[in-house]
Amino acid sequence: MKEYLETRMEIYRLQSLRLFARSAGYFAWILLSLFLAFLFLLFGGMMTAFWFSELFHSQFKGFGLVTLLILVVFILLAIFRKALFVNPVIHSVIQKSKEEEEDDAQS
């Protein structure tokens, strides 16, 4: 009985270690992706702002228009955050947990 409990505890420890390692990997990937997306948006926004500035012959109008566009995108993301971010993450977590339960049941 004692060996059985020790074996089960070792299995739980290894499963939690696997979950932690996988979560840490996803977290690192998310941080890197966010950093690259920030750089892309920063330089893309500057490029677009300078293009609009040349088009309108006014830096105020060019950078103002890009700022307005970014604000509109931010507001739309805030309005639709549940449909775009929250629900897909919830479904993904549930699906991953089902897959892990199936993997554990087969082992």
PDB file of all heavy atoms in Angstrom, residues 80-93:
ATOM      1  N   PHE A  80     -14.911  43.776 -28.196  1.00  0.00           N
ATOM      2  CA  PHE A  80     -15.052  42.382 -28.601  1.00  0.00           C
ATOM      3  C   PHE A  80     -14.056  41.453 -27.905  1.00  0.00           C
ATOM      4  O   PHE A  80     -13.781  40.364 -28.395  1.00  0.00           O
ATOM      5  CB  PHE A  80     -14.892  42.258 -30.119  1.00  0.00           C
ATOM      6  CG  PHE A  80     -15.961  42.984 -30.883  1.00  0.00           C
ATOM      7  CD1 PHE A  80     -15.648  44.102 -31.634  1.00  0.00           C
ATOM      8  CD2 PHE A  80     -17.272  42.562 -30.833  1.00  0.00           C
ATOM      9  CE1 PHE A  80     -16.623  44.774 -32.336  1.00  0.00           C
ATOM     10  CE2 PHE A  80     -18.263  43.221 -31.530  1.00  0.00           C
ATOM     11  CZ  PHE A  80     -17.940  44.343 -32.280  1.00  0.00           C
ATOM     12  N   ARG A  81     -13.521  41.866 -26.754  1.00  0.00           N
ATOM     13  CA  ARG A  81     -12.493  41.067 -26.065  1.00  0.00           C
ATOM     14  C   ARG A  81     -12.996  39.696 -25.658  1.00  0.00           C
ATOM     15  O   ARG A  81     -12.250  38.718 -25.729  1.00  0.00           O
ATOM     16  CB  ARG A  81     -11.938  41.815 -24.860  1.00  0.00           C
ATOM     17  CG  ARG A  81     -12.889  41.900 -23.690  1.00  0.00           C
ATOM     18  CD  ARG A  81     -12.325  42.708 -22.532  1.00  0.00           C
ATOM     19  NE  ARG A  81     -13.283  42.808 -21.469  1.00  0.00           N
ATOM     20  CZ  ARG A  81     -14.232  43.720 -21.396  1.00  0.00           C
ATOM     21  NH1 ARG A  81     -14.350  44.630 -22.348  1.00  0.00           N
ATOM     22  NH2 ARG A  81     -15.075  43.738 -20.392  1.00  0.00           N
ATOM     23  N   LYS A  82     -14.248  39.605 -25.259  1.00  0.00           N
ATOM     24  CA  LYS A  82     -14.770  38.314 -24.815  1.00  0.00           C
ATOM     25  C   LYS A  82     -14.822  37.322 -25.973  1.00  0.00           C
ATOM     26  O   LYS A  82     -14.386  36.173 -25.841  1.00  0.00           O
ATOM     27  CB  LYS A  82     -16.149  38.491 -24.188  1.00  0.00           C
ATOM     28  CG  LYS A  82     -16.616  37.297 -23.424  1.00  0.00           C
ATOM     29  CD  LYS A  82     -17.848  37.608 -22.605  1.00  0.00           C
ATOM     30  CE  LYS A  82     -18.184  36.435 -21.729  1.00  0.00           C
ATOM     31  NZ  LYS A  82     -19.340  36.697 -20.886  1.00  0.00           N
ATOM     32  N   ALA A  83     -15.327  37.763 -27.104  1.00  0.00           N
ATOM     33  CA  ALA A  83     -15.445  36.870 -28.266  1.00  0.00           C
ATOM     34  C   ALA A  83     -14.082  36.565 -28.889  1.00  0.00           C
ATOM     35  O   ALA A  83     -13.860  35.478 -29.403  1.00  0.00           O
ATOM     36  CB  ALA A  83     -16.365  37.484 -29.307  1.00  0.00           C
ATOM     37  N   LEU A  84     -13.157  37.527 -28.835  1.00  0.00           N
ATOM     38  CA  LEU A  84     -11.867  37.351 -29.491  1.00  0.00           C
ATOM     39  C   LEU A  84     -10.812  36.686 -28.614  1.00  0.00           C
ATOM     40  O   LEU A  84      -9.950  35.968 -29.121  1.00  0.00           O
ATOM     41  CB  LEU A  84     -11.327  38.706 -29.959  1.00  0.00           C
ATOM     42  CG  LEU A  84     -12.094  39.378 -31.083  1.00  0.00           C
ATOM     43  CD1 LEU A  84     -11.546  40.774 -31.331  1.00  0.00           C
ATOM     44  CD2 LEU A  84     -12.014  38.553 -32.350  1.00  0.00           C
ATOM     45  N   PHE A  85     -10.862  36.937 -27.304  1.00  0.00           N
ATOM     46  CA  PHE A  85      -9.786  36.473 -26.437  1.00  0.00           C
ATOM     47  C   PHE A  85     -10.245  35.537 -25.326  1.00  0.00           C
ATOM     48  O   PHE A  85      -9.675  34.468 -25.140  1.00  0.00           O
ATOM     49  CB  PHE A  85      -9.046  37.671 -25.814  1.00  0.00           C
ATOM     50  CG  PHE A  85      -8.463  38.596 -26.824  1.00  0.00           C
ATOM     51  CD1 PHE A  85      -9.022  39.837 -27.051  1.00  0.00           C
ATOM     52  CD2 PHE A  85      -7.362  38.219 -27.576  1.00  0.00           C
ATOM     53  CE1 PHE A  85      -8.486  40.688 -28.005  1.00  0.00           C
ATOM     54  CE2 PHE A  85      -6.821  39.064 -28.520  1.00  0.00           C
ATOM     55  CZ  PHE A  85      -7.391  40.301 -28.735  1.00  0.00           C
ATOM     56  N   VAL A  86     -11.248  35.945 -24.576  1.00  0.00           N
ATOM     57  CA  VAL A  86     -11.632  35.200 -23.371  1.00  0.00           C
ATOM     58  C   VAL A  86     -12.194  33.828 -23.729  1.00  0.00           C
ATOM     59  O   VAL A  86     -11.701  32.805 -23.236  1.00  0.00           O
ATOM     60  CB  VAL A  86     -12.643  36.013 -22.522  1.00  0.00           C
ATOM     61  CG1 VAL A  86     -13.120  35.203 -21.337  1.00  0.00           C
ATOM     62  CG2 VAL A  86     -12.008  37.320 -22.072  1.00  0.00           C
ATOM     63  N   ASN A  87     -13.206  33.776 -24.573  1.00  0.00           N
ATOM     64  CA  ASN A  87     -13.825  32.490 -24.914  1.00  0.00           C
ATOM     65  C   ASN A  87     -12.863  31.525 -25.612  1.00  0.00           C
ATOM     66  O   ASN A  87     -12.834  30.343 -25.265  1.00  0.00           O
ATOM     67  CB  ASN A  87     -15.081  32.706 -25.746  1.00  0.00           C
ATOM     68  CG  ASN A  87     -16.215  33.313 -24.937  1.00  0.00           C
ATOM     69  OD1 ASN A  87     -16.224  33.244 -23.715  1.00  0.00           O
ATOM     70  ND2 ASN A  87     -17.152  33.936 -25.615  1.00  0.00           N
ATOM     71  N   PRO A  88     -12.057  31.967 -26.594  1.00  0.00           N
ATOM     72  CA  PRO A  88     -11.107  31.028 -27.191  1.00  0.00           C
ATOM     73  C   PRO A  88     -10.087  30.478 -26.197  1.00  0.00           C
ATOM     74  O   PRO A  88      -9.726  29.304 -26.270  1.00  0.00           O
ATOM     75  CB  PRO A  88     -10.411  31.854 -28.277  1.00  0.00           C
ATOM     76  CG  PRO A  88     -11.388  32.909 -28.630  1.00  0.00           C
ATOM     77  CD  PRO A  88     -12.103  33.220 -27.356  1.00  0.00           C
ATOM     78  N   VAL A  89      -9.646  31.297 -25.248  1.00  0.00           N
ATOM     79  CA  VAL A  89      -8.689  30.812 -24.240  1.00  0.00           C
ATOM     80  C   VAL A  89      -9.355  29.782 -23.340  1.00  0.00           C
ATOM     81  O   VAL A  89      -8.778  28.739 -23.034  1.00  0.00           O
ATOM     82  CB  VAL A  89      -8.120  31.984 -23.416  1.00  0.00           C
ATOM     83  CG1 VAL A  89      -7.358  31.477 -22.198  1.00  0.00           C
ATOM     84  CG2 VAL A  89      -7.218  32.849 -24.278  1.00  0.00           C
ATOM     85  N   ILE A  90     -10.587  30.046 -22.932  1.00  0.00           N
ATOM     86  CA  ILE A  90     -11.321  29.096 -22.088  1.00  0.00           C
ATOM     87  C   ILE A  90     -11.493  27.772 -22.820  1.00  0.00           C
ATOM     88  O   ILE A  90     -11.239  26.701 -22.265  1.00  0.00           O
ATOM     89  CB  ILE A  90     -12.687  29.688 -21.671  1.00  0.00           C
ATOM     90  CG1 ILE A  90     -12.482  30.826 -20.688  1.00  0.00           C
ATOM     91  CG2 ILE A  90     -13.582  28.606 -21.064  1.00  0.00           C
ATOM     92  CD1 ILE A  90     -13.744  31.603 -20.382  1.00  0.00           C
ATOM     93  N   HIS A  91     -11.898  27.830 -24.087  1.00  0.00           N
ATOM     94  CA  HIS A  91     -12.082  26.599 -24.871  1.00  0.00           C
ATOM     95  C   HIS A  91     -10.759  25.860 -25.065  1.00  0.00           C
ATOM     96  O   HIS A  91     -10.718  24.623 -25.019  1.00  0.00           O
ATOM     97  CB  HIS A  91     -12.717  26.906 -26.224  1.00  0.00           C
ATOM     98  CG  HIS A  91     -14.142  27.363 -26.128  1.00  0.00           C
ATOM     99  ND1 HIS A  91     -15.149  26.590 -25.599  1.00  0.00           N
ATOM    100  CD2 HIS A  91     -14.729  28.532 -26.479  1.00  0.00           C
ATOM    101  CE1 HIS A  91     -16.287  27.238 -25.635  1.00  0.00           C
ATOM    102  NE2 HIS A  91     -16.054  28.434 -26.157  1.00  0.00           N
ATOM    103  N   SER A  92      -9.687  26.599 -25.262  1.00  0.00           N
ATOM    104  CA  SER A  92      -8.373  25.989 -25.440  1.00  0.00           C
ATOM    105  C   SER A  92      -7.928  25.269 -24.167  1.00  0.00           C
ATOM    106  O   SER A  92      -7.418  24.145 -24.223  1.00  0.00           O
ATOM    107  CB  SER A  92      -7.354  27.051 -25.829  1.00  0.00           C
ATOM    108  OG  SER A  92      -6.076  26.510 -25.875  1.00  0.00           O
ATOM    109  N   VAL A  93      -8.122  25.906 -23.009  1.00  0.00           N
ATOM    110  CA  VAL A  93      -7.736  25.286 -21.736  1.00  0.00           C
ATOM    111  C   VAL A  93      -8.557  24.030 -21.484  1.00  0.00           C
ATOM    112  O   VAL A  93      -8.028  22.991 -21.074  1.00  0.00           O
ATOM    113  CB  VAL A  93      -7.882  26.292 -20.571  1.00  0.00           C
ATOM    114  CG1 VAL A  93      -7.769  25.604 -19.224  1.00  0.00           C
ATOM    115  CG2 VAL A  93      -6.846  27.398 -20.704  1.00  0.00           C
TER     116      VAL A  93
END
